[in-house]
Amino acid sequence: MVQPEGPEAASSLDERLLRTDITDAREGVPMRLRLQVVTADCRPVPEARVDIWHCDARGSYSGEPEQGSDGAGNTAEETFLRGSQISGKDGQVNFDTIYPGWHRGRTTHINYKVHLDEETVLTSQIFFPDALSQYLYLAVPPYNDRDDERDTTNGNDSVAQQAGEGAFAAIREQKDRYDAALVVGIDPQGGAGQAPQPSAAVSAGGVFIPGRTG
């Protein structure tokens, strides 16, 4: 478990990103992602802001220059596959997106932040089964349109290894999409001057990964 160095300053909410469907017409296999934020004793955490972002089927992030395998793409003005929601009474948020692609040096993942208040932010990542990723990347367009081959899997990604099994989404195949879910367990009593501690008893999915957002 990675220990936080302290609370992270919360970023302001971009109203454009307060949405359920984050695809922005990006091609890929449809996926619905459900996150539930709970305390160590499994009580839902309402009114937490949850941000997610991930790369597209070809490995590009929105909002960044020099994207894609050749670094030639500029997506600085785009918002695809980025979104924010406020958790309901049940602590849940739901996003309609696509199965994430990969970029060099990292295994398949989705980044997320949970803003508990103006100063307390949890940053972590969600991981997916290698077998499913490999099938999609080899057999399904546009994932299989890429000339390069991914160089990192769950087994040799240090962040995934550090996060542990609790950071892997439970995923089911539906008729028209994949459904992925993760419970994010937190301990709001993380101590003075520290961000909340993730609760391993609930889920290691809330493990902190300071500085890792890509």
Side-chain angles (χ1 to χ4, degrees):
M1 179 180 297
V2 180
Q3 298 299 325
E5 296 179 355
E8 176 182 348
S11 58
S12 59
L13 173 64
D14 185 339
E15 296 289 344
R16 298 176 302 165
L17 302 183
L18 194 58
R19 56 188 181 165
T20 299
D21 188 340
I22 67 172
T23 56
D24 284 355
R26 221 64 180 180
E27 294 181 334
V29 174
M31 185 176 74
R32 179 165 295 164
L33 175 65
R34 177 173 58 86
L35 298 178
Q36 184 181 31
V37 185
V38 301
T39 61
D41 55 357
C42 295
R43 288 179 295 146
V45 178
E47 299 184 5
R49 175 181 138 203
V50 180
D51 304 335
I52 74 165
W53 68 101
H54 64 87
C55 66
D56 67 8
R58 296 180 176 87
S60 293
Y61 282 94
S62 65
E64 300 285 349
E66 300 179 356
Q67 290 297 289
S69 298
D70 57 2
N74 186 342
T75 65
E77 302 302 317
E78 301 183 62
T79 61
F80 61 83
L81 307 178
R82 292 179 180 269
S84 300
Q85 285 188 33
I86 308 300
S87 62
K89 292 181 179 180
D90 57 2
Q92 291 190 24
V93 294
N94 297 279
F95 294 94
D96 288 330
T97 184
I98 61 171
Y99 194 89
W102 60 273
H103 60 87
R104 192 162 298 283
R106 290 303 317 281
T107 193
T108 306
H109 68 280
I110 290 178
N111 303 283
Y112 73 91
K113 290 186 177 183
V114 179
H115 301 251
L116 297 176
D117 54 44
E118 293 184 355
E119 294 184 347
T120 310
V121 184
L122 292 75
T123 301
S124 194
Q125 296 174 359
I126 306 166
F127 301 97
F128 297 87
D130 268 333
L132 176 58
S133 297
Q134 188 70 2
Y135 163 72
L136 294 175
Y137 298 159
L138 291 177
V140 179
Y143 302 93
N144 64 354
D145 292 342
R146 302 176 64 172
D147 294 330
D148 50 343
E149 297 182 2
R150 66 173 180 152
D151 59 353
T152 309
T153 63
N154 297 332
N156 63 352
D157 184 286
S158 60
V159 180
Q161 291 293 301
Q162 188 178 53
E165 293 184 2
F168 282 76
I171 190 162
R172 296 183 302 169
E173 185 176 9
Q174 305 292 351
K175 182 177 181 181
D176 58 348
R177 67 173 189 268
Y178 285 105
D179 278 350
L182 185 73
V183 175
V184 180
I186 63 170
D187 179 4
Q189 307 303 320
Q194 289 190 337
Q197 303 286 337
S199 169
V202 178
S203 170
V207 66
F208 289 83
I209 309 174
R212 296 306 298 262
T213 58

